[in-house]
Amino acid sequence: MLTWRSIVNRLWQYHFGRGLVDTPSDFGRNGAKPTHPELLDWLACEFRDFDSFKRMHRLMLLSNTYRQSVKHKPAHAKIDAEHNRYLWRMNRQRLDAESIRDAVLSVSGKLSLANGRAGL
């Protein structure tokens, strides 16, 4: 079960910016405890049963948690302002260079949608 939990935690970290366990390389005694242990166990069981990275990515990206707004809510911020441990909003994420380039090309109308071709 530890292997599936570790994989799912890294996938969660990739999509949300922070894993359900803050120490993805250490699930042992020295590691941090999961913020949502039931969610981590459920995701690990889903991954184990269906054994599909594609399904797990889809499950996370179509979840209500992933589709939340980044809008600040003062009532929630009083309880969990600093780290968003209770997942009450989506964390802001910076775009990587390729995404910025593609967005600029798309807005300018110069983005080529052909596979394997640079849009310039």
Side-chain angles (χ1 to χ4, degrees):
M1 188 66 155
L2 184 61
T3 301
W4 292 295
R5 288 178 59 159
S6 177
I7 292 169
V8 166
N9 187 60
R10 287 184 184 270
L11 292 174
W12 187 275
Q13 182 179 9
Y14 175 77
H15 290 301
F16 291 89
R18 167 179 279 135
L20 295 168
V21 177
D22 283 338
T23 53
S25 298
D26 188 0
F27 272 65
R29 288 186 180 166
N30 295 330
K33 294 187 178 194
T35 56
H36 297 79
E38 296 86 9
L39 175 60
L40 182 62
D41 289 342
W42 181 79
L43 289 170
C45 288
E46 288 290 308
F47 185 65
R48 178 197 63 203
D49 294 345
F50 295 103
D51 196 27
S52 168
F53 279 95
K54 182 176 181 179
R55 179 174 159 75
M56 187 54 53
H57 284 292
R58 182 179 293 131
L59 183 65
M60 288 181 186
L61 295 178
L62 294 177
S63 71
N64 288 337
T65 305
Y66 187 81
R67 295 184 296 157
Q68 291 185 93
S69 169
V70 295
K71 185 178 178 185
H72 185 78
K73 298 174 186 172
H76 291 85
K78 286 181 183 177
I79 298 169
D80 184 25
E82 189 174 332
H83 299 291
N84 189 29
R85 297 248 186 243
Y86 296 116
L87 306 172
W88 56 273
R89 64 174 165 80
M90 184 61 166
N91 292 325
R92 295 178 192 262
Q93 295 182 0
R94 293 183 183 260
L95 290 176
D96 57 358
E98 292 83 8
S99 299
I100 293 171
R101 175 186 173 273
D102 289 348
V104 169
L105 288 173
S106 178
V107 169
S108 69
K110 295 181 179 180
L111 181 66
S112 172
L113 298 177
N115 284 340
R117 308 201 106 231
L120 287 177

